[in-house]
Amino acid sequence: MCSLGGRLPNMFSTSKQTFLRTLSLLRRYNSTLVIAEHNNEALTPITLNTITAATKLGGEVSCLVVGSQCAKVAEEVSKVAGVKKVLLADNEAFKGFLPEAVTPLILATQKQFNFTHILAGATANGKALIPRVAAKMDVSPISEIVGIKDASTFIRTIYAGNAVQTLTSEDKVKLITVRGTAFEAAAAGGAAEIGQAPTEDVSNDKSSFLGQELSKSDRPDLSSASIVISGGRGMKNGENFQLLYTLADKIGAAVGASRAAVDAGFVPNDMQVGQTGKIVAPDLYVAVGISGAIQHLAGMKDSKVIVAINKDPEAPIFQVADYGLVQDLFQAIPEMTEKVDKK
């Protein structure tokens, strides 16, 4: 009895050490592929947030740059800290970034490199691509994560942000979209090697890219702006949004809108902030004439400072606002613009 009792601590100690070594080896051999999003000229900011998420998984991080005449984007990605390798797929077949064309490339890349995780930003492109790839691999996609506990356990919000879900995936390959506002942008300072992605057998006979019309603006991009001013149904019509445009131009802000304003035809869809629009987390978010529906709050509640302007003191937006102004917006906004001019 005494002899056996003396051996037990060593047995448990050895088992614990073996377990920790095994866990360390598993973490070391994680390998993650980040699908870089870009416009063939420059990297989209959410890719940097996605790279940060990838580094939290442990192991090596590679980036896939796919497009047409996009070599300069590969050079940009290679200088991001945390990236070990860049795979470049530069071909006219990928013009327009159609998911029907990119999916076979990702499948071929996965067959060659056997990644444990494949990540993309939770943008329109990422949301179109990741579920398609997951279906081809017969695994479950994991959407819009906001946190990572370990290589198999992830955190995401559900029910329009009213609940937080922690989930564990047992799939051999985890396909994930990342909410960019939940992770810091990766810094510069890398020196990754650039190689070629396997494009030999990639083809797309299901769709073709005809063209696109992009809205142009001198204002900051809504998804990455440090200041956002959004208007809601209280703006009454599209012409009144000029009040917000004038103020935004003076302080270097982007302009957004609630779903109610978009559905009413005041502004185009690409300005919508919310669960079914763009997710933003600027340093300052100003909600003008927005009541504060759950759908809208899900898209902006992570903003560092929230200011609400509404003439209804019972508006739900005041419950999440750091500062609230109960005043008619048609009086408040011109006064704010005038004060900005004076300064």
Side-chain angles (χ1 to χ4, degrees):
M1 292 290 291
C2 291
S3 175
L4 181 59
R7 290 173 58 195
L8 282 174
N10 290 334
M11 291 170 62
F12 282 125
S13 177
T14 301
S15 298
K16 183 178 181 180
Q17 291 173 359
T18 302
F19 171 76
L20 292 175
R21 280 198 299 268
T22 303
L23 190 63
S24 176
L25 287 171
L26 288 173
R27 184 171 177 83
R28 187 183 308 168
Y29 288 109
N30 283 337
S31 57
T32 303
L33 178 67
V34 173
I35 311 300
E37 189 165 327
H38 57 91
N39 62 359
N40 288 320
E41 296 289 333
L43 204 59
T44 303
I46 195 172
T47 302
L48 299 177
N49 307 99
T50 307
I51 290 172
T52 296
T55 59
K56 295 181 180 297
L57 295 167
E60 291 187 355
V61 176
S62 301
C63 282
L64 175 63
V65 176
V66 50
S68 55
Q69 300 181 8
C70 58
K72 63 171 65 175
V73 178
E75 289 286 345
E76 183 180 355
V77 176
S78 70
K79 298 175 183 176
V80 176
V83 178
K84 183 71 174 180
K85 187 172 184 178
V86 178
L87 300 173
L88 174 61
D90 194 337
N91 195 297
E92 286 300 311
F94 303 121
K95 190 174 182 179
F97 313 106
L98 300 176
E100 294 85 356
V102 179
T103 296
L105 171 66
I106 295 177
L107 295 175
T109 303
Q110 173 63 13
K111 184 177 180 180
Q112 178 173 331
F113 294 96
N114 196 29
F115 295 103
T116 57
H117 300 75
I118 299 177
L119 274 59
T123 61
N125 286 339
K127 292 175 182 178
L129 184 61
I130 290 296
R132 181 181 291 269
V133 177
K136 289 290 188 180
M137 292 186 180
D138 195 25
V139 300
S140 296
I142 303 170
S143 61
E144 296 201 47
I145 65 167
V146 297
I148 297 173
K149 283 198 169 184
D150 57 49
S152 300
T153 309
F154 310 95
I155 301 171
R156 60 191 294 267
T157 58
I158 56 176
Y159 303 131
N162 286 308
V164 177
Q165 180 186 61
T166 299
L167 63 89
T168 298
S169 172
E170 296 182 357
D171 287 326
K172 184 177 180 181
V173 184
K174 282 79 170 174
L175 281 101
I176 303 168
T177 58
V178 176
R179 182 172 290 187
T181 57
F183 298 90
E184 294 292 330
E193 60 175 308
I194 300 176
Q196 295 298 314
T199 59
E200 295 82 4
D201 299 324
V202 173
S203 62
N204 171 32
D205 56 3
K206 297 180 177 64
S207 63
S208 59
F209 178 74
L210 300 180
Q212 62 184 0
E213 294 183 10
L214 300 176
S215 57
K216 296 182 179 180
S217 175
D218 293 331
R219 300 185 190 98
D221 178 69
L222 182 58
S223 299
S224 57
S226 59
I227 305 174
V228 173
I229 302 175
S230 287
R233 193 193 302 273
M235 298 300 298
K236 296 185 177 180
N237 58 54
E239 289 75 16
N240 288 334
F241 265 79
Q242 186 58 50
L243 293 172
L244 303 188
Y245 298 148
T246 301
L247 177 58
D249 290 342
K250 292 180 181 297
I251 62 176
V255 178
S258 68
R259 178 171 179 172
V262 171
D263 287 349
F266 296 170
V267 292
N269 287 20
D270 60 0
M271 290 176 61
Q272 182 177 327
V273 173
Q275 184 184 17
T276 54
K278 293 182 178 178
I279 308 295
V280 301
D283 295 330
L284 173 63
Y285 186 87
V286 184
V288 182
I290 295 175
S291 62
I294 291 175
Q295 189 273 345
H296 185 76
L297 298 182
M300 46 65 73
K301 66 179 183 180
D302 291 330
S303 304
K304 293 181 175 61
V305 177
I306 299 173
V307 176
I309 301 173
N310 200 302
K311 65 180 180 180
D312 179 10
E314 302 298 324
I317 190 70
F318 288 121
Q319 297 178 12
V320 299
D322 298 288
Y323 301 94
L325 176 61
V326 180
Q327 189 177 15
D328 189 323
L329 70 90
F330 295 106
Q331 179 183 350
I333 298 302
E335 287 181 359
M336 292 174 64
T337 304
E338 183 181 348
K339 290 183 181 299
V340 170
D341 283 334
K342 289 180 179 179
K343 290 187 177 182

